[in-house]
Amino acid sequence: MQENRQDDTGHPPLRHLRGAPTNINRLDTHRGIDAHRHDGHQIAYAASGVLSVTTGSGTWVAPPTRALWIPAGTVHEHRAYGRTDLHTVGLPIRYNPLGLDAPAVIAVGPLLRELILAYTRESADPGPARRRMLGVLLDQLRVSPLQPLHLPAPADPRLAAVCALLYADPADRRGLAALAADAGAGAGERTLSRLFRAELGMTFPQWRTQLRLHRALRLLAVGTPVTAVAHRCGWSSASAFIDVFRRAFGHTPGTHPA
């Protein structure tokens, strides 16, 4: 069941789903599902392409080796990069195998992948076999490691001004002081460095690397060559990009699943 509520600003109504759906959506690149929330938890998995989920706290991104955990009540939107087969598993609020109350990226091994695919394909079957499949799926989630693929969004206007320059051009290699001056941030490098750690939970170089990895995943999903991705995301060479990508995802961008 779904409710649509108009807000006081005249924006389109926010969809509110009573339960989190279990289904399959096939999305073209750069298409998605607009902001909504549901009363159940949800696992979102892109069997092909790359999926991002954005909330007021930032963006999480997942290639086919990862899935996204979306807790009940979280207002979020989906976006696809590359032709994306989006499989979603809705869970009652009593099922929270990871004990998480914020979105997260979860590693997806071969067994968990097949369980998600099978469970979403057979969503109309309410029988005991399906309940047993869900039990195994939950067991696999409990032992799936979390992945640091969160790009937090700044709230402080001084941070937001600096981050906006890098959102527009991740290849901008200037230091924090030069970016702050160009953005008119009204704060020095030391203050901004402290704000990155306090508000976003990471240093400025760490945040910029996360931004570049997010952008790289999106570009790879639409078939951009590895060397071009490295250049457009700000790495000094393709080899430097490959090294960072391998450490983040466990494989090279040339073997990145599509």
Side-chain angles (χ1 to χ4, degrees), residues 32-239:
I33 301 172
D34 291 338
H36 63 286
R37 64 185 175 95
H38 28 69
D39 292 340
H41 305 305
Q42 191 176 64
I43 303 157
Y45 174 66
S48 63
V50 168
L51 178 70
S52 73
V53 164
T54 299
T55 75
S57 299
T59 299
W60 290 257
V61 64
T65 56
R66 308 289 189 269
L68 293 157
W69 170 261
I70 304 165
T74 302
V75 177
H76 62 284
E77 64 179 53
H78 301 278
R79 195 65 53 197
Y81 300 92
R83 293 292 299 272
T84 299
D85 288 337
L86 170 59
H87 296 251
T88 58
V89 176
L91 297 172
I93 197 167
R94 66 183 182 275
Y95 292 146
N96 189 340
L98 293 163
L100 297 173
D101 59 4
V105 177
I106 306 162
V108 174
L111 178 54
L112 181 55
R113 170 186 166 87
E114 294 305 319
L115 286 165
I116 292 172
L117 298 184
Y119 193 80
T120 52
R121 282 196 300 263
E122 301 170 11
S123 58
D125 176 16
R130 180 170 174 78
R131 291 194 294 273
R132 289 194 295 271
M133 187 189 303
L134 177 59
V136 178
L137 195 157
L138 293 172
D139 286 342
Q140 285 296 301
L141 284 174
R142 290 185 185 96
V143 297
S144 295
L146 303 182
Q147 303 292 314
L149 294 176
H150 174 211
L151 184 68
D156 188 289
R158 295 167 293 180
L159 277 186
V162 171
C163 292
L165 292 177
L166 294 174
Y167 283 130
D169 181 15
D172 192 331
R173 298 180 187 174
R174 290 179 293 172
L176 187 52
L179 289 167
D182 189 15
E189 181 176 6
R190 181 174 298 178
T191 297
L192 289 169
S193 294
R194 186 169 61 249
L195 284 171
F196 266 100
R197 290 190 295 270
E199 184 174 314
L200 304 183
M202 58 184 69
T203 66
F204 167 65
Q206 288 170 335
W207 186 90
R208 177 152 59 181
T209 297
Q210 285 290 94
L211 172 66
R212 288 174 171 176
L213 286 170
H214 278 222
R215 191 64 56 86
L217 284 172
R218 298 176 184 183
L219 292 170
L220 290 168
V222 297
T224 309
V226 169
T227 300
V229 172
H231 174 73
R232 290 169 62 177
C233 292
W235 275 281
S236 58
S237 65
S239 60

